Amino acid sequence: MARTGQAFLGVERSLSGRRWRAALDARGEGLALAMSQKQGIDEIVARVLAARGVPGEEAHRFLAPRLRDLMPDPSVLTDMDAAADRIASAIQKRERVAIFGDYDVDGASSSALMWRYLDHFGIGARIYIPDRVTEGYGPSVVAMRELASEASLIITVDCGTASFDPIEAAKAAGADVVVLDHHQTGPDIPSATALVNPNRQDDVAGLGHLCAAGVVFMTLVAINRALRKRGYSDLPDILCWLDIVALATVCDVVPLTGLNRAFVVQGLKVMRTMKNVGLAALTRIARLSGPIEPHHLGFLLGPRINAGGRIGDAALGSRLLCLTDGAEAEALAARLDGLNQERQAMEQVMLRDAEEAILREIGTGEGPPVLVTSSGEWHLGIVGLIAARLKERFRRPAFAIAFDGSGKGSGSGRSIAGVDLGRLVRDAVSHEVIEKGGGHAMAAGITIRRERLSDFRAFIEERALDAVARTRANESLDIDGAISASGLLPDLYRAIEAAGPFGQGHETPVFALGNLRVLNADIVGHAHVRATVGGPSGGRADVIAFKQAETPIGERLLKRSDRPVHIAGSLSLDRFRGQEQVRLRVIDVADAPD
């Protein structure tokens, strides 16, 4: 809803360059009050929901989403019936099946879902996850021919929509191919036996927000129905795998609205039972305390599953999610944890190099609208993380590219709201500036020759200039309310979490603490700033600014001047030895008037 008027706490320009504004305008305040009074919803929850456009009459349904209410008939997806029938036939005839997945969490989860389903019928499908470094994203002709020599049906998950030649190669070798994907596509699609993708241009189901695991889950529902029609009664209880769907939905950063919201809410309930031995082992190795929450999936479990695909064996993540042996799961979880620690160390070095290069380029000026960094020393499995960090720090789209010895570069880009990076990359492909590329509005991947790097930089900067300028000119931070330092209590945290889970499309509430004095501050971990602040009424609070030690926000906290500050952030609950403490995760800082 539109918000105008005075800046929140008078912050016209924070240290990150944003204007603070109230998440609710006068009309929104009225809607929140009505929701609280008429629906009997906690006032703070009502404010959060109203600020995110949830109608009062739908509030209770929103807070307790159910699959039966939100999941449509799978047949609304184009090609779904054909896909379900082909896989059902493979089960009935006990065909050999291969699963080709992507190397990220969504790909690993999607592969594990399909593997577990087929395993129920005694079909031991082979999972093939390509090596990020030697094979790159998606099916290759060589890999598909190899799988076609072993299986009569190949199911691609989280990939395949743009794999024209590989699918033709598989068909020529005698295998059928079913594609289950969610990536954006142009008007042309490969001639697979079935291609289920809510983002294909002739699909009108309105489910483009699903991740691949969500598409696979809907496919399993459709296969169950197809098999039931064929007389099968011993069908798997696919609801017990919603923990895997929730993991992928959070980690793929798709909008947590509609069906995705139900997947995560119901999936977390399943995950808390710890019946998936692989996920249970991973939670222990990650030293997760307290009930599993959405941020645990994105920041603790997901990175460990991803670690195999980034710098190790790409199949480790999917293998972990398929395991039923506890000892094997513990060993594999430990291996992934070790790889994740290696990844963190490599990321730290690469990020420092990238930031130093950018700061040299920008100097004291504004710099280009899109950042493009590269190195021949970087690990290409980590460039996506580097691009994300650069985007967050410099608040503009960013690409990080790793070149090999032959001059071939593989890169990842991350964008800001209002700049469709996927479209820009596809335009670069069509103009032959880069060899390959694609993705979403907020993330994209490219393959480029070193000699075309300057051409790509010029191409992308020219086409993104206006969109980036508009976005940055209107940068703001929506604040859901002000709280005192002494008000950071577990009861407040739990009240706010009742409006969750939060994520893309249902943003985490942001609160401001005003007129604080920084009492002490230090650097912890990998460039995190931890501080204790005091409020004007004497209360104290702990805050932490992740990866901000060398930014204006971190530097201001470490400076500890007598001048007061306003701090905006989200709430987190720490549990240690049975004690609960709420702290603020810093998003922004502004100097307060003396």
Side-chain angles (χ1 to χ4, degrees):
M1 53 189 66
R3 291 169 295 275
T4 57
Q6 187 176 4
F8 197 92
L9 290 179
V11 177
E12 293 289 349
R13 187 172 179 82
S14 68
L15 294 183
S16 70
R18 289 179 283 193
R19 184 179 193 265
W20 291 7
R21 62 181 189 177
L24 286 175
D25 58 13
R27 178 174 176 271
E29 294 277 1
L31 293 174
L33 180 61
M35 187 186 300
S36 177
Q37 293 178 343
K38 294 180 180 179
Q39 305 296 330
I41 292 174
D42 186 284
E43 182 180 353
I44 190 68
V45 174
R47 290 181 58 86
V48 170
L49 296 184
R52 284 146 188 79
V54 178
E57 63 274 12
E58 295 182 14
H60 285 292
R61 182 181 177 186
F62 184 88
L63 292 173
R66 300 188 302 176
L67 284 176
R68 69 179 68 179
D69 297 329
L70 294 168
M71 192 168 78
D73 186 327
S75 295
V76 299
L77 287 163
T78 301
D79 264 8
M80 176 60 84
D81 290 340
D85 284 339
R86 180 61 187 90
I87 298 172
S89 292
I91 292 170
Q92 190 172 28
K93 297 174 183 177
R94 302 194 61 78
E95 297 180 46
R96 292 182 299 170
V97 180
I99 302 166
F100 191 106
D102 191 16
Y103 35 63
D104 66 0
V105 175
D106 194 15
S109 300
S110 299
S111 299
L113 281 171
M114 185 57 68
W115 185 91
R116 282 179 171 269
Y117 188 88
L118 295 171
D119 182 65
H120 176 84
F121 299 98
I123 295 178
R126 176 187 175 184
I127 295 178
Y128 187 108
I129 307 292
D131 184 274
R132 187 190 294 260
V133 176
T134 60
E135 296 178 83
Y137 169 77
S140 66
V141 169
V142 172
M144 293 295 271
R145 282 176 178 160
E146 176 185 332
L147 294 180
S149 69
E150 303 174 3
S152 55
L153 174 62
I154 303 172
I155 305 171
T156 72
V157 293
D158 199 25
C159 58
T161 296
S163 302
F164 293 86
D165 292 341
I167 289 176
E168 287 299 327
K171 289 168 58 181
D176 289 338
V177 180
V178 170
V179 176
L180 306 177
D181 198 4
H182 73 127
H183 291 95
Q184 293 177 358
T185 178
D188 298 325
I189 58 174
S191 57
T193 300
L195 194 154
V196 182
N197 183 338
N199 285 306
R200 56 184 283 180
Q201 294 188 6
D202 59 348
D203 189 286
V204 295
L207 296 170
H209 59 293
L210 295 180
C211 67
V215 175
V216 172
F217 183 85
M218 291 192 68
T219 305
L220 301 187
V221 174
I223 302 170
N224 263 358
R225 181 170 59 189
L227 288 173
R228 196 174 290 113
K229 290 179 180 178
R230 299 180 188 213
Y232 281 73
S233 58
D234 180 25
L235 299 173
D237 176 14
I238 62 176
L239 294 178
C240 71
W241 302 328
L242 281 173
D243 50 357
I244 300 177
V245 182
L247 174 70
T249 300
V250 171
C251 292
D252 218 47
V253 201
V254 292
L256 288 186
T257 56
L259 181 55
N260 283 340
R261 184 174 171 77
F263 281 150
V264 174
V265 170
Q266 302 304 326
L268 284 172
K269 293 178 182 178
V270 175
M271 194 174 295
R272 288 165 186 154
T273 67
M274 294 292 178
K275 291 184 179 179
N276 184 303
V277 298
L279 285 175
L282 206 59
T283 60
R284 287 190 290 272
I285 202 72
R287 294 171 292 281
L288 190 154
S289 62
I292 297 178
E293 297 176 355
H295 70 271
H296 293 140
L297 309 189
F299 294 100
L300 292 179
L301 304 186
R304 287 169 169 80
I305 291 176
N306 259 336
R310 293 193 185 282
I311 62 172
D313 181 349
L316 294 180
S318 60
R319 192 182 309 159
L320 180 73
L321 297 176
C322 293
L323 289 176
T324 57
D325 179 82
E328 188 177 357
E330 294 288 345
L332 188 49
R335 184 176 175 190
L336 284 168
D337 185 61
L339 287 171
N340 190 54
Q341 292 180 36
E342 289 183 41
R343 186 272 305 168
Q344 289 174 323
M346 295 168 66
E347 179 188 347
Q348 190 175 6
V349 173
M350 288 170 57
L351 182 59
R352 185 192 63 226
D353 292 346
E355 288 178 335
E356 289 176 353
I358 289 170
L359 291 172
R360 285 195 301 269
E361 177 185 0
I362 292 177
T364 58
E366 171 63 20
V370 180
L371 301 175
V372 180
T373 60
S374 65
S375 173
E377 305 297 323
W378 290 349
H379 193 295
L380 68 83
I382 305 179
V383 291
L385 299 175
I386 301 305
R389 301 295 185 212
L390 297 177
K391 183 261 299 188
E392 292 167 1
R393 174 170 181 179
F394 295 99
R395 306 187 326 278
R396 68 194 73 184
F399 283 88
I401 304 167
F403 284 103
D404 63 19
S406 70
K408 178 182 178 181
S410 297
S412 288
R414 297 294 183 269
S415 194
I416 58 177
V419 183
D420 189 338
L421 211 60
R423 180 181 59 79
L424 292 172
V425 164
R426 290 193 297 277
D427 287 347
V429 173
S430 66
H431 285 78
E432 299 183 347
V433 177
I434 59 178
E435 293 185 352
K436 292 195 302 183
H440 309 293
M442 301 300 287
I446 64 171
T447 301
I448 184 174
R449 297 297 307 175
R450 187 187 295 274
E451 57 267 22
R452 300 304 304 272
L453 183 60
S454 60
D455 296 333
F456 174 68
R457 180 180 281 113
F459 182 94
I460 209 82
E461 287 180 5
E462 178 184 356
R463 282 158 178 77
L465 179 61
D466 291 342
V468 172
R470 284 193 301 270
T471 298
R472 289 175 61 83
N474 297 308
E475 275 188 301
S476 62
L477 180 65
D478 288 347
I479 310 292
D480 286 278
I483 53 179
S484 66
S486 58
L488 294 181
L489 301 172
D491 285 347
L492 174 66
Y493 174 84
R494 279 187 278 270
I496 293 167
E497 283 300 293
F502 300 105
Q504 180 74 17
H506 185 56
E507 303 300 331
T508 301
V510 176
F511 297 94
L513 278 68
N515 294 300
L516 304 166
R517 302 281 180 178
V518 181
L519 304 177
N520 58 68
D522 59 349
I523 298 175
V524 297
H526 299 304
H528 312 316
V529 177
R530 179 180 58 192
T532 300
V533 296
S537 60
R540 292 190 174 196
D542 291 330
V543 304
I544 186 163
F546 288 104
K547 299 185 183 300
Q548 296 280 2
E550 297 181 0
T551 70
I553 289 174
E555 291 168 356
R556 176 63 182 84
L557 293 174
L558 292 166
K559 186 178 180 182
R560 293 190 303 164
S561 72
D562 289 334
R563 184 177 180 183
V565 295
H566 301 319
I567 301 179
S570 61
L571 306 187
S572 66
L573 182 65
D574 290 343
R575 298 178 177 90
F576 182 69
R577 294 180 179 175
Q579 298 295 313
E580 294 183 331
Q581 180 184 8
V582 177
R583 67 170 58 181
L584 194 78
R585 292 177 176 170
V586 178
I587 296 173
D588 207 355
V589 172
D591 282 312
D594 292 319

